[in-house]
Amino acid sequence: MRTFDLAPLYRSTVGFDRLFSLFDEVAGDVGTPGYPPYNIERTGENAYRITVAVAGFAEPELSLEAKENTLTIRGEKQAKTDEQKGEALYQGIAARAFERVFQLADHVEVKGAHLENGLLHVDLVREVPEAMKPRQIRIGSGNGSAKVVEQKAA
């Protein structure tokens, strides 16, 4: 049940449609499963790391896909072809397939991933293009001769 209305924000902002769509998705996504657990951490000023607990999954059973502003992590256990030596009396280690989708901000790119001790680490970095970084603009005398004075790093 939604208790808030984003319509006034749509009327007074320009270019934030994707952000409000994400809010709408989150509000409607109440029953999100918690498997597998994950952490998101900031490792630097423009660097991030997503760590997903994928115990029991081998590297070939995991896949990562970065498409537009979405990172999708999938895990699918391959069927065991060899015979087990014993009968499982209790099976508490999850071996079910999963899919985790992360929405990435603009200019955030996946730099790499590695599997270590049952944890999948995905490194991300935000690289803002030079044209998008803030810059100082001198005010001209009205003849259209405004110049860029100084470009600052974001």
Side-chain angles (χ1 to χ4, degrees):
M1 180 177 159
R2 177 182 275 174
T3 59
F4 55 91
D5 182 23
L6 296 176
L9 295 174
Y10 281 111
R11 290 192 302 263
S12 63
T13 58
V14 177
F16 292 92
D17 303 341
R18 185 171 172 277
L19 178 65
F20 296 136
S21 297
L22 288 173
F23 283 141
D24 286 338
E25 287 177 22
V26 169
D29 208 12
V30 178
T32 304
Y35 178 77
Y38 64 93
N39 293 336
I40 301 174
E41 59 185 308
R42 177 180 239 156
T43 58
E45 185 177 339
N46 289 316
Y48 304 90
R49 174 177 279 175
I50 297 173
T51 302
V52 183
V54 292
F57 284 87
E59 197 170 319
E61 298 170 330
L62 298 169
S63 68
L64 280 79
E65 179 183 5
K67 182 178 179 185
E68 296 175 2
N69 289 354
T70 303
L71 171 65
T72 305
I73 301 173
R74 290 185 187 91
E76 189 169 340
K77 290 296 282 180
Q78 298 172 353
K80 292 184 179 180
T81 55
D82 56 9
E83 293 183 22
Q84 292 183 347
K85 295 182 179 179
E87 180 182 344
L89 299 177
Y90 173 76
Q91 190 166 359
I93 298 173
R96 61 182 183 249
F98 70 87
E99 179 176 302
R100 275 277 183 201
V101 179
F102 298 93
Q103 296 295 323
L104 304 178
D106 292 334
H107 312 295
V108 173
E109 297 178 11
V110 178
K111 285 299 176 187
H114 66 280
L115 187 63
E116 177 184 357
N117 298 328
L119 298 173
L120 176 66
H121 301 286
V122 182
D123 293 317
L124 308 148
V125 67
R126 181 178 53 171
E127 294 179 349
V128 179
E130 284 295 321
M132 302 287 292
K133 291 182 180 177
R135 58 183 189 240
Q136 289 289 99
I137 301 172
R138 185 173 21 169
I139 299 173
S141 61
N143 59 5
S145 64
K147 293 182 178 179
V148 175
V149 175
E150 177 183 334
Q151 189 149 353
K152 295 182 179 179

